[in-house]
Amino acid sequence: MAALYFWLFVADDLRPDNAEPAIASQSDDRAEAQIFFTMTEVNIRDKPAMTGSVILGKMPRGSQLTGIVRSDADPSVVWLELSDGNGFVALANLSQVKPPVLVKFLDDQIWAADGALDVWATTLPDSNLLDRVSEGTQLTLLGTTEDNFIEVKLSGDRYGYLNDAQAIIARLGGKPIMIGFNPQTCAFSGEIGAEFAKIGAQLRAQWQALEAKEFANEAARQKAYAAVEGKSKYLRLRRSFEGLSLTGLAQHYESQSLYFDDSPAKVMDIFRAQGFDIGRDGLFTGTELYAGIAATRGEGAAYGKTELGCGV
């Protein structure tokens, strides 16, 4: 009788507050249907499993789904069992907040936050603060909205929104930098010009050291000169310019290059927007020297996808 009394009246009081499961499983008769919205195009499967299941159909982003959350089938994936009995959808692709329309997709680009940022639950003026991330936090950028927010995916399969999308996009490649460039003379100004000036000083010092050095014979001198003659000097960077990622620059024997971690077409579009006249072949028009934008080759490929080169 004492044992019966314990289980009827005492055991419930000793149970931890969090003993009630946050997500009801299939066997829980008390589970209630919940409403979710698709954050991406999602697959509807005939059973709650990634392997061994059949895809019955797809639902586009923004679709409303009603069902019961299940976590008892595949321990690595939580599923939504649709109330209409027509299948299962992975909960990682769903949110209880209807997503806004994305006007530009950012292709799940990974970005390390460059400072403390507020992540909002929605883009509405009265939105709740979902999270506050610190500098260095890895964020998955999904796309931009009409009202200048960036939709991001956080850890734990959570979705949120960063305000001032355009300012963030301008910083994706690193600290912003200005690029002053004259394709007629191949001259760069500002910080870029200063970096090329430093490289030029280093190369001159290297040659002066060779000229002052005593060699055993002329053959040794020529060998030393050949080791540095015509060699390119590279410098890695991580800076942003109007949404482009500037990743390096180089001083060659008779030319200079900037490298970008963006496609040639995108680099051309940005420089055209800055007022440069660039042909479909990527060449700056009206110049006697070579000045052009093209996909990188050779050593330059290690510094970026696209090269802006100028020289003879």
Side-chain angles (χ1 to χ4, degrees):
M1 291 181 64
L4 179 61
Y5 178 87
F6 175 86
W7 287 110
L8 288 176
F9 301 104
V10 179
D12 283 346
D13 294 333
L14 298 179
R15 182 178 299 144
D17 291 339
N18 62 353
E20 186 70 23
I23 299 177
S25 66
Q26 177 190 23
S27 60
D28 192 341
D29 294 334
R30 295 170 297 172
E32 296 183 357
Q34 301 179 58
I35 295 176
F36 290 89
F37 297 91
T38 56
M39 299 300 295
T40 64
E41 182 182 76
V42 299
N43 292 324
I44 301 176
R45 297 178 180 270
D46 67 336
K47 59 182 68 174
M50 290 295 186
T51 58
S53 61
V54 176
I55 297 176
L56 302 176
K58 296 180 180 292
M59 295 293 289
R61 173 186 167 90
S63 301
Q64 179 176 315
L65 301 176
T66 303
I68 297 175
V69 176
R70 292 182 44 168
S71 60
D72 62 327
D74 182 346
S76 64
V77 182
V78 179
W79 296 87
L80 183 72
E81 181 178 5
L82 301 180
S83 296
D84 59 11
N86 287 334
F88 302 82
V89 176
L91 199 69
N93 298 319
L94 306 179
S95 172
Q96 291 185 304
V97 178
K98 185 174 182 179
V101 174
L102 297 182
V103 296
K104 179 181 179 181
F105 291 94
L106 298 176
D107 302 322
D108 293 355
Q109 180 176 347
I110 303 300
W111 179 58
D114 57 4
L117 295 172
D118 291 336
V119 184
W120 301 94
T122 71
T123 64
L124 299 176
D126 59 350
S127 173
N128 293 325
L129 182 65
L130 179 65
D131 200 351
R132 178 169 285 125
V133 299
S134 58
E135 182 177 354
T137 302
Q138 298 286 316
L139 301 173
T140 301
L141 309 184
L142 305 179
T144 61
T145 67
E146 286 184 326
D147 46 358
N148 199 31
F149 282 80
I150 292 184
E151 185 174 282
V152 300
K153 190 171 185 180
L154 307 171
S155 60
D157 297 322
R158 297 175 300 153
Y159 292 85
Y161 299 88
L162 303 176
N163 196 8
D164 204 359
Q166 294 308 311
I168 293 175
I169 288 176
R171 307 198 308 268
L172 293 184
K175 182 181 177 182
I177 191 173
M178 295 302 296
I179 298 179
F181 173 56
N182 184 347
Q184 306 293 334
T185 61
C186 292
F188 291 91
S189 59
E191 291 184 59
I192 298 298
E195 292 296 343
F196 278 121
K198 291 178 185 178
I199 293 177
Q202 293 170 2
L203 294 176
R204 286 192 297 273
Q206 185 179 39
W207 279 104
Q208 290 171 359
L210 281 176
E211 292 172 354
K213 185 176 180 180
E214 295 289 339
F215 292 94
N217 50 52
E218 187 60 25
R221 177 185 295 275
Q222 293 301 323
K223 183 177 180 180
Y225 276 51
V228 297
E229 189 174 16
K231 298 293 183 179
S232 297
K233 179 74 173 180
Y234 293 90
L235 175 67
R236 292 191 182 278
L237 296 172
R238 182 167 180 77
R239 305 294 294 275
S240 61
F241 172 69
E242 301 296 332
L244 299 176
S245 295
L246 177 65
T247 50
L249 56 83
Q251 176 66 60
H252 310 294
Y253 180 57
E254 292 182 316
S255 64
Q256 297 171 320
S257 297
L258 301 185
Y259 298 100
F260 300 89
D261 193 29
D262 304 277
S263 68
K266 182 177 180 180
V267 176
M268 290 180 204
D269 287 343
I270 294 299
F271 275 87
R272 287 188 183 112
Q274 302 304 306
F276 291 96
D277 189 3
I278 303 173
R280 296 180 61 183
D281 55 1
L283 296 178
F284 290 78
T285 60
T287 62
E288 295 183 2
L289 300 173
Y290 167 81
I293 297 171
T296 52
R297 298 178 298 173
E299 288 183 275
Y303 294 84
K305 299 176 183 176
T306 299
E307 175 184 5
L308 186 162
C310 192
V312 297

